[in-house]
Amino acid sequence: MKWLIIFISFFLIYCEKDNLKQDPLEGQPDRIRNGNPADLRKPDNRPACSRDSLVIEATPSVGVFEEGQLGKITFSGRVLDCGTKEYEIEILNKPNEADFNNGIFEYLPPETLVQG
């Protein structure tokens, strides 16, 4: 019984009201308290465009390029209004000898391109 009284006395003395607070996030910024990571970005609320709203046409429809002769393909595109105003056609992985400006793709294949 003596140990129980000592334990309760110790508990009442050292576990005051302020010491019973057990919030591990106390004093942390709001982004941490709310569970938001540091690099949280705002969602993109632009309306999504359907696949049918984008049309890209090429003239000629099949490009034929011959070594040593300049070949051209003209691209044009139409986009139904999806909430944005400007669109750009970009060709990735184009050869170093090729140019793509204002929707016109020009390519002069070097004569050493095909080796037999």
Side-chain angles (χ1 to χ4, degrees), residues 69-104:
Q69 295 182 6
L70 182 65
K72 292 184 183 182
I73 299 177
T74 303
F75 291 94
S76 63
R78 293 184 318 234
V79 180
L80 299 177
D81 186 15
C82 294
T84 52
K85 301 295 180 193
E86 294 183 18
Y87 299 93
E88 185 176 300
I89 298 174
E90 181 178 292
I91 296 179
L92 303 176
N93 301 325
K94 68 178 180 58
N96 292 334
E97 300 86 4
D99 277 335
F100 183 68
N101 292 314
N102 298 324
I104 299 174

Side-chain angles (χ1 to χ4, degrees), residues 8-116:
I8 292 174
S9 300
F10 179 78
F11 182 77
L12 292 175
I13 292 171
Y14 290 104
C15 298
E16 296 176 5
K17 187 176 184 179
D18 291 336
N19 291 336
L20 293 176
K21 292 182 181 177
Q22 296 184 8
D23 184 7
L25 298 176
E26 183 177 356
Q28 297 294 328
D30 286 339
R31 65 177 176 77
I32 293 175
R33 291 182 65 83
N34 295 331
N36 296 332
D39 63 345
L40 183 67
R41 294 180 182 99
K42 293 181 180 178
D44 186 3
N45 293 329
R46 292 181 295 176
C49 294
S50 70
R51 182 174 281 246
D52 299 331
S53 65
L54 174 64
V55 177
I56 297 177
E57 297 171 341
T59 306
S61 59
V62 176
V64 177
F65 296 98
E66 295 181 23
E67 293 176 342
Q69 295 182 6
L70 182 65
K72 292 184 183 182
I73 299 177
T74 303
F75 291 94
S76 63
R78 293 184 318 234
V79 180
L80 299 177
D81 186 15
C82 294
T84 52
K85 301 295 180 193
E86 294 183 18
Y87 299 93
E88 185 176 300
I89 298 174
E90 181 178 292
I91 296 179
L92 303 176
N93 301 325
K94 68 178 180 58
N96 292 334
E97 300 86 4
D99 277 335
F100 183 68
N101 292 314
N102 298 324
I104 299 174
F105 177 78
E106 295 181 329
Y107 181 45
L108 177 62
E111 293 191 10
T112 58
L113 183 66
V114 179
Q115 296 178 355

